[in-house]
């Protein structure tokens, strides 16, 4: 129950942050979805224990952010 609740809360939290950003003309960068596997869980490739990112996970985040940095 706890992981599902935490996942649900994360999804809802991200939706609210996205709305807040849009309403305040702030760029929202969705990193969350780029880290998920096909089942909607944190991709095992990006974490050892399923919570904290490893080097590969941080590289993925960097690649997502770099697309926005290069645009500016």
């Amino acid at each position: 129950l706890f992981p599902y609740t935490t996942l649900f809360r994360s999804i809802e939290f991200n939706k609210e942050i996205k709305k807040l950003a849009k309403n305040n003309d702030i760029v929202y960068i969705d990193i969350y979805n780029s880290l998920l596997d096909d089942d909607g869980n944190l991709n095992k490739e990006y974490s050892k224990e399923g919570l904290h990112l490893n080097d590969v996970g941080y590289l993925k985040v960097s690649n997502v952010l770099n697309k926005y940095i290069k645009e500016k």
Side-chain angles (χ1 to χ4, degrees), residues 18-44:
K18 188 175 183 176
K19 277 194 261 182
L20 183 64
K22 183 178 180 179
N23 292 339
N24 290 282
D25 198 30
I26 298 170
V27 174
Y28 173 81
I29 303 172
D30 181 8
I31 298 170
Y32 181 79
N33 285 307
S34 67
L35 297 171
L36 302 180
D37 62 18
D38 292 337
D39 295 323
N41 300 307
L42 177 61
N43 190 320
K44 290 183 170 105

Side-chain angles (χ1 to χ4, degrees), residues 11-21 23 28:
I11 292 168
E12 292 302 311
F13 183 74
N14 283 330
K15 286 180 185 177
E16 291 301 315
I17 294 285
K18 188 175 183 176
K19 277 194 261 182
L20 183 64
N23 292 339
Y28 173 81

